[in-house]
Amino acid sequence: MQNRFLDLLQTRPWLLADGATGTNLFAAGLMSGDAPELWNVDPENEDKIYTLNKSFVDAGSDIVLTNSFGGNRYRLKLHNAQDRVAELNLAAARLARRAADSADRTVVVAGSIGPTGEIMEPVGSLSQEAATQAFAEQAAALAEGGADVLWIETISSVEELSAAVEGAGRSGLPVVCTLSFDTNGRTMMGVTPAAVAQLMATLSPRPAAYGANCGTGASELVTALLSMKEAAAPDDVLIAKSNCGIPRYEDGQIVYSGTPELMADYARLALDAGARIIGGCCGTTPEHVRAMRASLESYSGGDKPSLEAIVSRLGEISAGSAALGGGKPLGERPERGGRRRRENRRSAATQTPDDGGSAF
């Protein structure tokens, strides 16, 4: 059986994913603390979801993610919607499918699956079996709604990633996954980019692609990608989906520092660092995606970027990330750079009701 996602991977040197969901929905009226997934079936707001999906299609995205990042029963329980998993995810996929099919080219619908927000056993109370069932429930609805691939993102622990991949894999669709790395070059649960690459061979089903999303800016993500590429198998397909620069408060709102020009440069560096699927995460608008598309289409590729080149073009790299990326700390002194990014990270967390990832 043919699959749009796998077919594109076989015929294209790179694919452009979309940008942020949550931060763009905040601009459209979503309030902090609200579940964006409920907009999928809200007569007053569901067209805003379709419009956002279509805006990324029109900007040149080859892959659009569904508005379902927090669509598992554990996240929806926070909004007393844990029994609406099938309804909300089915609607999310159908809206994205309609937007994708409006294009005169093949556009892939990726069913976004974020973390449960629970702590897995043995540290926490969520069992592997219960987590797997929750992810399978969400994945089944996304597949029914028209998703081509299931896109697991912003996971931090090996145990939850394993459960998510197994659960999503039960749908029969290809599965991809991305993790988020901090200024120590690790996920919140301590997983390094190199360890992620080595982990892929142990997962069932084996993800069709994997990589990094969200994080603390384009320079940090590209550095993590370098480390991941070193440990990857030759045929592995890597994903880069960075935040649009660094978040900061401005006039009472959180804005991201990344310009379309910076994200266009990031797209080229990500390609040279080994990514075949490139997109944006928090703060990335259709304008940024359009610039990224133009940048990639006019680029024939270059050498693997050095840490110096990443710093020069995208900004400073923290000591932890630089060490894992194979180089010495660059930019300002490590203790200052790391502390400021941690403060930015804490500030950014206050803007959203859920975790990061494409939901924001």
Side-chain angles (χ1 to χ4, degrees):
M1 183 177 179
Q2 286 191 317
N3 178 274
R4 293 181 184 89
F5 175 68
L6 297 179
D7 289 347
L8 280 186
L9 275 181
Q10 290 176 354
T11 58
R12 292 273 306 279
W14 52 263
L15 299 177
L16 181 66
D18 61 6
T21 299
T23 48
N24 286 302
L25 291 183
F26 286 134
L30 181 70
M31 301 300 293
S32 181
D34 291 345
E37 293 79 15
L38 294 177
W39 275 25
N40 296 333
V41 295
D42 183 345
E44 295 184 3
N45 291 305
E46 63 180 89
D47 193 57
K48 295 177 183 177
I49 305 301
Y50 168 76
T51 299
L52 178 61
N53 289 148
K54 191 173 187 306
S55 70
F56 284 124
V57 171
D58 293 344
S61 292
D62 299 303
I63 303 171
V64 290
L65 273 63
T66 58
N67 178 41
S68 56
F69 177 80
N72 64 74
R73 63 172 44 252
Y74 294 98
R75 297 303 297 177
L76 291 175
K77 187 177 181 179
L78 300 176
H79 308 279
N80 198 32
Q82 63 270 26
D83 296 327
R84 302 177 66 185
V85 172
E87 172 196 7
L88 297 175
N89 285 277
L90 185 66
R94 286 175 172 168
L95 289 167
R97 180 80 270 156
R98 181 157 63 96
D101 290 347
S102 71
D104 58 1
R105 65 185 194 283
T106 299
V107 176
V108 167
V109 171
S112 173
I113 296 177
T116 62
E118 304 291 318
I119 303 298
M120 301 284 291
E121 292 179 345
V123 178
S125 59
L126 183 62
S127 71
Q128 192 82 6
E129 180 181 358
T132 301
Q133 290 176 347
F135 288 123
E137 177 185 31
Q138 183 181 9
L142 291 167
E144 183 181 352
D148 302 299
V149 58
L150 295 170
W151 190 289
I152 299 163
E153 54 183 336
T154 328
I155 302 289
S156 294
S157 78
V158 170
E159 294 79 10
E160 187 167 31
L161 179 64
S162 177
V165 169
E166 181 182 348
R170 292 178 183 176
S171 69
L173 291 178
V175 177
V176 306
C177 55
T178 60
L179 290 83
S180 180
F181 300 95
D182 61 20
T183 52
N184 287 317
R186 292 170 167 80
T187 72
M188 183 175 66
M189 303 302 287
V191 184
T192 66
V196 169
Q198 296 162 357
L199 174 66
M200 291 302 114
T202 71
L203 297 177
S204 181
R206 197 180 197 286
Y210 63 91
N213 79 296
C214 200
T216 52
S219 60
E220 299 274 356
L221 189 138
V222 174
T223 303
L225 193 67
L226 288 175
S227 178
M228 196 176 292
K229 179 65 175 176
E230 286 293 320
D235 295 334
D236 284 359
V237 176
L238 299 187
I239 301 169
K241 208 167 190 287
S242 171
N243 280 356
C244 184
I246 302 295
R248 67 180 186 276
Y249 276 110
E250 190 174 285
D251 298 327
Q253 295 182 327
I254 289 183
V255 297
Y256 285 79
S257 61
T259 62
E261 292 76 18
L262 181 140
M263 293 301 283
D265 210 12
Y266 143 77
R268 291 185 172 191
L269 285 169
L271 183 68
D272 291 342
R276 284 192 58 203
I277 301 174
I278 301 165
C281 205
C282 308
T284 307
T285 68
E287 181 184 4
H288 294 99
V289 170
R290 187 172 289 106
M292 292 163 66
R293 180 81 192 200
S295 178
L296 288 171
E297 285 189 335
S298 61
Y299 187 57
S300 58
D303 296 332
K304 181 179 75 172
S306 66
L307 296 187
E308 289 82 3
I310 294 171
V311 169
S312 173
R313 294 163 63 179
L314 299 181
E316 297 161 356
I317 301 170
S318 62
S321 293
L324 289 176
K328 298 177 181 179
L330 299 172
E332 63 182 348
R333 289 186 300 174
E335 66 272 20
R336 291 175 56 203
R339 181 171 65 248
R340 189 173 72 227
R341 282 174 173 78
R342 286 192 295 272
E343 290 169 352
N344 282 332
R345 190 177 178 86
R346 286 194 293 269
S347 296
T350 65
Q351 70 168 310
T352 58
D354 294 307
D355 300 84
S358 87
F360 306 104

